[in-house]
Amino acid sequence: MSERQQQDVVVVGNGAIGASIAFELCRRGFGVTRVGRPSRPYAASYAAGAMLGCFGEVTTSLLESDHGRAKLDMDYRARRYWEQWDRDLSESSGDDSSLFTADGTFVLLNTVGSAPVDSGNMHAVEAALKEYDEPYEAIDPEEMDWLAPNDLARSLKGLYIPGEHAVDSHRLLAKLDQALIRRGGRIVDAEARRVRVTGDRVTGVELESGDLLTAEHVVIAAGAKSLTLLDELDDVRRRIPPMVSGYGVSALVETEDRRLPSSVIRTPNRAFACGLHCVPRADGVLYLGATNIISPQPRQFAAVGDLQFLLGCAVDQLHTNLAEAALLSVQVGNRPVPADGFPLLGSAGVEGLWLATGTYRDGLHQSPLLARHMASLLEGKGEEYDFLSSFAPVRAPLATGTREQIVRTTVDHMMATGYEHKWNVVSEWPPRIERHLRRSYTTVVEELHPRFTPPAELVAAMTDGIHDALVGYYQAWS
């Protein structure tokens, strides 16, 4: 095994969070080496629509817990950094092209989905906008430019949020690469195998090649694969919420007439997923997203059925002429989803070892804020944001709601999935299905632990592997 020159910090991961942290540390004077494959396999950032939305993402369940409200506050604060972040990256990278691609966001409630989920989340979005005194306006979807859905999927009401934009995720990652190099940082094209620890402090990162990168600090920001680097730190890892992947499929298409909407168009968040959305990119290219399916392991390729579902929804609910669009690329991302649904931010229980992952759907949006926060921790200045202390990685499970609320949410979302897939069942079946699901999910959570309950996504997606990981984590804190 060879050993390379020691650096102050090794950052493992080159998605939006890892790349942003590496850049921020470098411009604060740290010697930084960033590790990751240039193709960014499995990363969520490359496949992201990169909506800079906090209010458009609000759900009824998010508002039901203090930790959920802290997460909303985190999103709200992160949004304010993006204009300066755009300028900083332009200056440091030497590329003065703007990251921004969309002017505001339209949130539309259409006839697809279900009342408890779609209508409930639409009300939650508006309630949060009022609570934060955020500018918005109610709009008539019939008067919107570009939008042309199937009449069976027409929008009933809409909100326009002028402060919620989007960026080009591909351009963002490229500028972060350039900015790091120009600031004197180093990029290593490799995959990390494990963290190396001597005594009670980190000493570096071992690569798949066998090479060792030594460092005073190691920041793991490798998305859904982050915790695999801690496999040999049993005592630490068992007290950190295990993670699964929120596998998602998105697509880039070129519209037939090259016309695009000028803003993000999206629905409220839907069954276990972000809502259907489209985001304009340059030269007639439109981003369509996105699915979200809980998977025990990250996935590299799209399932045909998931792509078919996404494109069918886009044609029906956004613009029927998208059926004639050219399919340019299919993208797959893996969102890091912790066992309690909340981020893993801060010290990982070993001196010099840090985690910045578990952000689920919000990582790219939060990346400038997280870069500042993690850099302050490494500088020894303490928490940049005190309210993030509850998201320290070594922690007992955080609650997304009461057990009854979580079971109800799981049932509501499973039923909504049926409506999204246009099921056609006789009228007496839905209440029978709901009763069966409620009994089934109640049994699942009661058998896991007498007090701890995972979020609805994990309850619905329970497999033997997820079950065993949850049981082991819960036992560590019982």
Side-chain angles (χ1 to χ4, degrees), residues 220-446:
I220 301 177
K225 300 195 110 182
S226 293
L227 299 188
T228 62
L229 301 175
L230 308 183
D231 281 345
E232 297 184 16
L233 304 177
D234 291 339
D235 185 56
V236 170
R237 183 168 177 181
R238 68 189 182 88
R239 293 181 292 127
I240 296 174
M243 286 200 301
V244 295
S245 169
Y247 143 78
V249 177
S250 62
L252 293 177
V253 302
E254 183 180 75
T255 58
E256 186 184 35
D257 57 7
R258 302 183 68 81
R259 290 183 61 242
L260 299 175
S262 59
S263 308
V264 173
I265 300 176
R266 61 166 298 161
T267 68
N269 279 4
R270 284 184 164 162
F272 305 120
C274 45
L276 172 68
H277 54 276
C278 67
V279 182
R281 297 272 177 92
D283 302 323
V285 175
L286 188 66
Y287 173 97
L288 301 174
T291 63
N292 185 67
I293 298 170
I294 296 299
S295 171
Q297 301 296 329
R299 295 187 55 159
Q300 187 173 0
F301 301 107
V304 170
D306 295 330
L307 177 62
Q308 181 182 29
F309 176 71
L310 170 65
L311 297 180
C313 289
V315 170
D316 281 346
Q317 299 175 47
L318 297 174
H319 202 301
T320 55
N321 204 40
L322 285 174
E324 303 299 323
L327 181 60
L328 302 180
S329 66
V330 177
Q331 304 172 126
V332 174
N334 292 273
R335 307 173 184 93
V337 187
D340 59 6
F342 295 105
L344 309 176
L345 306 172
S347 173
V350 174
E351 188 175 354
L353 179 61
W354 310 89
L355 275 174
T357 187
T359 49
Y360 202 174
R361 291 189 292 263
D362 302 308
L364 188 148
H365 170 65
Q366 295 170 351
S367 55
L369 179 148
L370 294 180
R372 290 171 58 99
H373 179 68
M374 296 302 296
S376 293
L377 290 177
L378 268 70
E379 287 179 328
K381 295 180 179 178
E383 303 278 352
E384 175 86 5
Y385 309 97
D386 292 340
F387 71 97
L388 295 182
S389 60
S390 60
F391 299 143
V394 181
R395 65 173 185 242
L398 303 178
T400 59
T402 66
R403 177 162 286 183
E404 181 180 349
Q405 287 171 331
I406 291 169
V407 169
R408 183 195 69 222
T409 298
T410 311
V411 173
D412 286 344
H413 281 240
M414 283 301 295
M415 297 299 293
T417 300
Y419 292 111
E420 279 189 59
H421 283 83
K422 303 177 184 177
W423 68 359
N424 186 16
V425 296
V426 294
S427 58
E428 61 266 27
W429 279 20
R432 292 180 181 178
I433 295 172
E434 286 188 39
R435 288 194 296 270
H436 172 77
L437 289 174
R438 188 171 296 108
R439 287 194 298 267
S440 175
Y441 292 139
T442 298
T443 299
V444 167
V445 298
E446 289 179 347

Side-chain angles (χ1 to χ4, degrees), residues 46 131 173 255 421 478:
Y46 199 74
E131 179 182 340
L173 294 172
T255 58
H421 283 83
S478 296

